[in-house]
Amino acid sequence: AWVGVEVQPIPASLAQTLGLPDQGFRITRIYPGSALGAAGAKVGDLVTTLEGLPLEAANDSRAELFAQRVREFEIGDRVVFEGLRGAEKQRWPTTLSESPVPVSGLRTLTVSRLRAQVRELGFHDRVERDLPLDQTGVLLQVVEGGGAAGLAHLKAGDVLIRIDGQPVDGLDRLQPAIAAALSGEAERFSVDILRHGEARIVQIERRWIPETP
């Protein structure tokens, strides 16, 4: 279960220093689609209870304690958070959503023809690049110098979305798109990418790609 926020722990000692009436977890970021954000919570709010039980911050560094408390419930559970916005009490009835897949859980693929490694595009990749949450593509993780990807000036962090006009919706579409681009007689083919929020097109020369996959 997940509520779609990042938080800063505010233990009792820090709350006293800041002049806050209670400890808890201060919201520092609200992700797109956040369940807690949809309930009306805002950046800067202090979340103090979950289902009537205090959210205790053990120290000012263990933000994961908030997520641990949330994960005691199931996806789809209706729970109530309470807290403060300045001195004003707040109440946020919230339906818990499913946590995005972490980077460690996303599939990767080594593409020998390009001499590159790619992986699935995840929720946090889209958020960090300010992309739509339904943006498709694959993320370049490693680009070897001297290979086709490197010679085309592709870079780690680029999001590859099309090859020779064929959409690359995920890892399973990448190798067939490359094979289709190489099936003709053209000396080069185009690759559409997203880099730092900008759409770009690069060209890959057929001669840069080894004959065997």
Side-chain angles (χ1 to χ4, degrees):
W2 188 64
V3 291
V5 299
E6 295 286 348
V7 295
Q8 174 191 3
I10 306 293
S13 57
L14 182 55
Q16 184 176 11
T17 300
L18 297 175
L20 299 173
D22 204 351
Q23 65 170 314
F25 293 84
R26 179 179 177 273
I27 298 175
T28 58
R29 182 176 188 176
I30 296 179
Y31 286 108
S34 163
L36 195 50
K42 298 180 179 180
V43 170
D45 288 346
L46 182 68
V47 187
T48 57
T49 72
L50 171 55
E51 285 294 281
L53 297 176
L55 286 165
E56 297 178 348
N59 53 48
D60 60 3
S61 62
R62 295 197 62 194
E64 74 275 7
L65 294 178
F66 178 84
Q68 289 175 8
R69 286 289 304 277
V70 172
R71 287 197 296 267
E72 293 174 3
F73 298 88
E74 300 294 330
I75 297 166
D77 282 354
R78 185 77 170 171
V79 299
V80 176
F81 292 88
E82 292 179 304
L84 298 167
R85 181 174 296 158
E88 183 181 346
K89 291 185 178 180
Q90 301 288 317
R91 187 174 184 271
W92 303 290
T94 305
T95 301
L96 301 180
S97 56
E98 183 178 0
S99 174
V101 178
V103 170
S104 60
L106 296 171
R107 290 191 301 144
T108 62
L109 176 70
T110 298
V111 187
S112 56
R113 279 180 160 174
L114 300 183
R115 287 180 60 182
Q117 184 183 75
V118 300
R119 70 162 168 79
E120 293 176 301
L121 191 64
F123 172 84
H124 293 287
D125 299 320
R126 296 179 176 93
V127 169
E128 289 170 5
R129 291 163 176 78
D130 198 26
L131 300 174
L133 294 183
D134 60 355
Q135 176 67 56
T136 58
V138 297
L139 181 74
L140 277 161
Q141 274 193 306
V142 179
V143 176
E144 297 181 25
L151 292 170
H153 303 294
L154 290 169
K155 299 179 180 180
D158 288 345
V159 178
L160 194 156
I161 57 175
R162 276 184 296 275
I163 291 180
D164 203 26
Q166 296 295 314
V168 178
D169 299 332
L171 294 186
D172 295 338
R173 297 290 298 275
L174 180 58
Q175 301 277 30
I178 295 172
L182 293 173
S183 64
E185 299 299 326
E187 295 182 357
R188 63 185 62 85
F189 60 88
S190 63
V191 177
D192 291 57
I193 63 170
L194 298 172
R195 178 182 294 168
H196 305 308
E198 297 181 358
R200 299 190 180 193
I201 300 176
V202 301
Q203 295 284 313
I204 292 183
E205 299 280 347
R206 187 187 191 96
R207 59 190 173 87
W208 296 341
I209 298 179
E211 292 294 328
T212 55

